[in-house]
Amino acid sequence: MKKSERAKIILKELKKLYPSPPIPLDHKNSFTLLVAVVLSAQSTDKKVNELTKDLFKVADTPHKMVQLGISKIYEYIKQLGLSNQKSKNIYHLSKLIIEKHHNQVPNSYEELESLPGVGHKTASVVMSQVFDIPTFPVDTHIHRLSQRWGLTNGVNVRQTEKDLKKIFPISEWNKLHLQIIFYGREYCTARG
């Protein structure tokens, strides 16, 4: 079976299973989604949602986050992996959003990826979910499943992203990455 034929079957089945997948990270606005995605690196969405519930009650804007300061941000997120670095990144990206972007989350890859703690995947999620720009955020779960399904033999997430963008229609990218994540969590765990 060709990759394109496999991709059609996968797309059809994922649409049946997850017709309207929600964004798995709880957020109030574009800024809190950006923060949640930064915090989700090497952590579970479930844990991030638990901790940001209280954090976002007191700091749901760049100004409030800067006022909170690094040490207080750390207190809210200390249960997450890499919490020391993440608290510094959240503080500094909040400051940059105020100073360079007029309190608005930037809407370009270049500007997003220039923020502390924001890599290509995080920028892709924000571009997709906040600005509705067709992107295909690929994390380790999507990378693993894409290899398992024979859609890529990419050695890294960047190559997998390129391969998936060639196979799937652009109109499906924003929803499809969420559908694959939900499928992986429910049916195809890394340990399984």
Side-chain angles (χ1 to χ4, degrees):
M1 185 182 292
K2 291 181 184 177
K3 281 183 190 179
S4 60
E5 293 169 329
R6 254 193 320 274
K8 281 181 185 171
I9 293 167
I10 290 165
L11 189 57
K12 182 181 168 191
E13 292 304 314
L14 289 175
K15 280 182 173 186
K16 277 191 228 168
L17 288 169
Y18 313 102
S20 300
I23 298 171
L25 290 166
D26 297 338
H27 61 285
K28 295 179 173 189
N29 53 43
S30 57
F31 173 70
T32 56
L33 179 61
L34 172 62
V35 170
V37 178
V38 168
L39 293 176
S40 72
Q42 297 184 13
S43 301
T44 65
D45 291 349
K46 182 180 177 186
K47 192 63 176 175
V48 170
N49 287 339
E50 283 174 23
L51 300 177
T52 56
K53 186 177 178 183
D54 291 332
L55 175 63
F56 294 157
K57 281 180 187 172
V58 296
D60 59 357
T61 68
H63 276 289
K64 290 177 184 174
M65 199 64 78
V66 169
Q67 287 174 337
L68 207 54
I70 295 170
S71 60
K72 285 189 180 159
I73 295 169
Y74 173 79
E75 287 303 314
Y76 282 97
I77 67 164
K78 64 185 175 187
Q79 294 176 41
L80 293 176
L82 308 172
S83 53
N84 274 327
Q85 190 58 48
K86 287 178 181 179
S87 55
K88 291 174 190 167
N89 287 342
I90 297 301
Y91 175 81
H92 291 295
L93 76 79
S94 300
K95 221 172 160 185
L96 282 171
I97 288 173
I98 294 166
E99 294 168 1
K100 283 187 156 183
H101 304 288
H102 313 290
N103 297 316
Q104 300 297 314
V105 172
N107 64 351
S108 76
Y109 280 103
E110 186 180 346
E111 291 174 315
L112 282 166
E113 290 179 29
S114 72
L115 297 173
V118 178
H120 182 70
K121 190 215 88 174
T122 297
S124 293
V125 170
V126 171
M127 294 295 281
S128 169
Q129 303 305 326
V130 173
F131 301 110
D132 201 30
I133 293 169
T135 61
F136 207 125
V138 174
D139 63 7
T140 55
H141 305 294
I142 293 174
H143 178 63
R144 176 177 49 80
L145 284 170
S146 299
Q147 287 179 322
R148 194 177 278 182
W149 290 336
L151 300 176
T152 184
N153 54 9
V155 294
N156 58 47
V157 293
R158 285 285 194 143
Q159 184 58 51
T160 297
E161 179 183 342
K162 284 180 189 173
D163 292 344
L164 295 178
K165 282 180 171 180
K166 287 178 194 168
I167 298 169
F168 291 105
I170 192 169
S171 60
E172 301 293 341
W173 293 354
N174 287 356
K175 190 189 284 189
L176 183 57
H177 89 273
L178 292 172
Q179 291 167 321
I180 296 172
I181 288 169
F182 281 105
Y183 181 85
R185 286 181 185 166
E186 192 170 348
Y187 297 104
C188 207
T189 61
R191 289 183 216 113

